[in-house]
Amino acid sequence: MAQPDSKKIFFENLSGAGKAIAVLTSGGDAQGMNGAVRAVVRMGLYVGAKVYFIHEGYQGMVDGGDNIKEATWESVSSMLQLGGTVIGSARCKEFRTHEGRLKAAHNLVQHGITNLCVIGGDGSLTGANLFKEEWSGLLNELVEQGLIEADAVQKYSALHIVGMVGSIDNDFCGTDMTIGTDSALHRIIEVVDAIMTTAQSHQRTFVLEVMGRHCGYLALVSGLACGADWVLIPEMPPEDGWEEKMCQKLSATRSRGTRLNIIIVAEGAIDRHGKPITSSFVKDLVVKCLGFDTRVTILGHVQRGGTPSAFDRILASRMGVEAVLALLETTANTPACVVSLCGNTSVRVPLMECVQMTQEVQKAMDQKRFEEAVKLRGRSFENNLKTYKLLAHRKPESELPTSNFNVAVLNVGAPAAGMNAAVRSAVRVGISEGHKMFAVSDGFEGFYKGQIKEVKWGDVGGWTGQGGSLLGTKRTLPAKHVEKIAEQMRKHNINALLIIGGFEAFESLLQLYEARASYEEFCIPMCMLPATISNNVPGTDLSIGADTALNAIVETCDRIKQSASGTKRRVFIIETMGGYCGYLATVGGLASGADAAYIYEEPFDIKELQANVEHLTEKMKTSIQRGLVLRNENCNENYTTDFIYQLYSEEGRGVFDCRKNVLGHMQQGGAPSPFDRNFGTKISAKAMQWVSKKLVETFRQDEGQTVRGSSVT
């Protein structure tokens, strides 16, 4: 985007005029930090503030000089896709001393900086809060030493702090996700997927050690995302005797025909007595007890590296904007806050409350209060752990409840990555609840043709990481075949339906709901899970498959932009899927740093197209030589991708040339992202628990006859 006129401020009541904001990254690096830095700089400039980089974290603040530089709009171009942090990060012992903080205060006052945006972990944020509390005293000392004028104390009387958490471990309480966590999960799952092929070839067991000295989030979620046989984390150590139970589980899995086992160990894993459980110990245990060919892979700093995922770019950008807004709204008495993610919303939380809660987790673990430690980690961690326990360990047949209910699962509409993870989760949770699970092939077309079969626990093993729809899926709606579908439901005594799909699934559910008046077979609990790359299903912020599609778009845009480096000035027109929903184009544009995104929801005309061409023409006269424009496939019937390409080519003649690319079905393909695997697994488990609850509520035995209830969601 072009830098807008600072007078045209979108947030009418907020102005940064006369304010100076500094941004720094501190502690360990995390993918996505650059996206946060970019967002702070551009949002700060947008509202009329001066924005400064502080290079090398707190060390740069203490040293001053060239480490503190004013940022421009162009200075953060082409950094969104870079891993690590381009402004550098360092651990600074000097800042921990009073003398070091005095130097830092002097350097900030020299630049008129009283607004600080700190991107780092709990140690970095704690240091920032201490700096804020000491600020007035530090200024008075500087006056006494003659380093600043007396009126500077009044002019710069308060230091405002806003934090953003950059940590791949996701070990900070108060936020569902920290910047860098999703990218680290991508690195882990890439390795796991690669290892699975060689493990199957040789019938091997692999023990993977992932980062997480004090937090097991990466191990837990990667275990969910790849369907690991066993996961060891510090927050929930295994019960005494776990060694025998784990070996029994691995042996049972092999006896069902599985050719590999995956065990994931967090580097900080411990047993109930606080004794470390290392990956080498687990390997030796498996070899000794089972004799399996076993290998250890320690991922190490691979998890910190690489390109940030689409999720991390979007999260960092949203947090950066919210951080600037928080700084503009703060007063002298406002406590330092941290920008967090709650559900799908950026929120502000008191910084020290979060820091103290994070420290309480470690205390609870040290005192062996593990259940409390899990709760303190937050809702997201707790839900992940509950889902893992549901799916990872199969109960013996004798311990399963007997419900006598039959539940059918089917996919409807276009395939979306993560559908298979959702089916696996539904089947295994359903079996754990005591139901008989039935899989319907090829959607409602297969339903009315009778392509229905019972599916067992082991039948869905290894489904989590596979793309597409293993059940098969069609766009056929049920309305024309209601009678035949009702007949099949009677034949198989189907008591509940779980439909996984996009808008066609949503329409199908409505049609079945309307058919209840004529067919009592449909007066049963029916639930739909949103699974579509378009993310166009009403009532949900996200759909299974959308994150994988976004990553495909972002990776392709990165490569396309890179193809122009070192060549003449070039603008790329990229067409995305999405039907009449602009989600992929909008969010893909945000994550890839596009100059414009054309979507159906925001009508545009030839004047806007011309204005964008003029903006790109001006942009190309600077050092920036690449432009990117995204277009939703159905954004306008007249302003097609070809039309926009030809318009840009003609109007930019002599300044830049133009290329177009239609991404097409590559957005639907590929292995599901860690987010989609985890999301599909969790919401499917939740859906099956809802189905079970409704079956109990709405069905009763009356003189040996099943009386059907009526429920839909």
Side-chain angles (χ1 to χ4, degrees), residues 184-197:
L185 286 170
H186 273 257
R187 302 294 93 79
I188 295 169
I189 295 304
E190 286 164 10
V191 171
V192 172
D193 286 350
I195 278 175
M196 277 184 165
T197 56

Side-chain angles (χ1 to χ4, degrees), residues 96-117:
R96 297 177 186 175
T97 67
H98 184 78
E99 292 74 17
R101 293 192 291 276
L102 191 66
K103 288 181 185 177
H106 184 218
N107 289 326
L108 292 188
V109 169
Q110 283 184 315
H111 290 85
I113 297 169
T114 56
N115 297 279
L116 205 55
C117 186

